[in-house]
Amino acid sequence: QVQLVASGGGLVQPGGSLRLSCAASGFPFNTQAMAWYRQAPGKERELVAYISSAGTNTNYPDSVEGRFTISRDNAKNTVYLQMKTLKPEDTAVYYCRWYGFQYWGQGIQVTVSS
């Protein structure tokens, strides 16, 4: 019933931008906080962006603060991650999550390389 379908990602040059999307269904999206995580090879999955249900509050770790922006369109049941000034260390598999529960979208590969 609960579905999170992620799209976007791919190969991008250092300094470039990329936008990820996650379409949600099967739960009351408008009342729920959402988040994006990533997992690099050999590392644990980490939170990279959080957004409250109304989009009023967002949180980012220092590693992406000022470069990544999470947003949502509740009319479309979609959450986005706009990534700018990408660095090689941003290379990872990215996942969207219904924050309050263990529901995840499929992983999306983001590779930042020349």
Side-chain angles (χ1 to χ4, degrees):
Q1 184 181 44
V2 174
Q3 292 190 11
L4 297 169
V5 182
S7 61
L11 176 65
V12 65
Q13 299 276 84
S17 300
L18 208 59
R19 191 190 199 194
L20 307 182
S21 299
C22 180
S25 62
F27 67 97
F29 179 84
N30 291 358
T31 70
Q32 305 300 310
M34 299 292 292
W36 286 94
Y37 289 71
R38 69 185 180 188
Q39 187 167 22
K43 299 185 67 178
E44 294 186 3
R45 192 172 297 185
E46 64 173 347
L47 178 74
V48 295
Y50 163 92
I51 187 166
S52 61
S53 59
T56 304
N57 299 313
T58 58
N59 286 296
Y60 310 89
D62 290 344
S63 59
V64 307
E65 180 71 51
R67 299 188 300 115
F68 288 15
T69 302
I70 187 171
S71 62
R72 64 193 298 159
D73 185 340
N74 284 349
K76 296 182 178 180
N77 282 13
T78 301
V79 61
Y80 305 93
L81 184 67
Q82 179 67 57
M83 302 180 288
K84 300 179 179 179
T85 318
L86 284 161
K87 305 175 180 179
E89 51 263 44
D90 294 319
T91 296
V93 176
Y94 286 71
Y95 304 84
C96 65
R97 178 193 172 189
W98 176 7
Y99 187 73
F101 299 89
Q102 295 296 318
Y103 290 105
W104 303 82
Q106 84 280 13
I108 297 293
Q109 179 69 51
V110 172
T111 302
V112 185
S113 176
S114 298

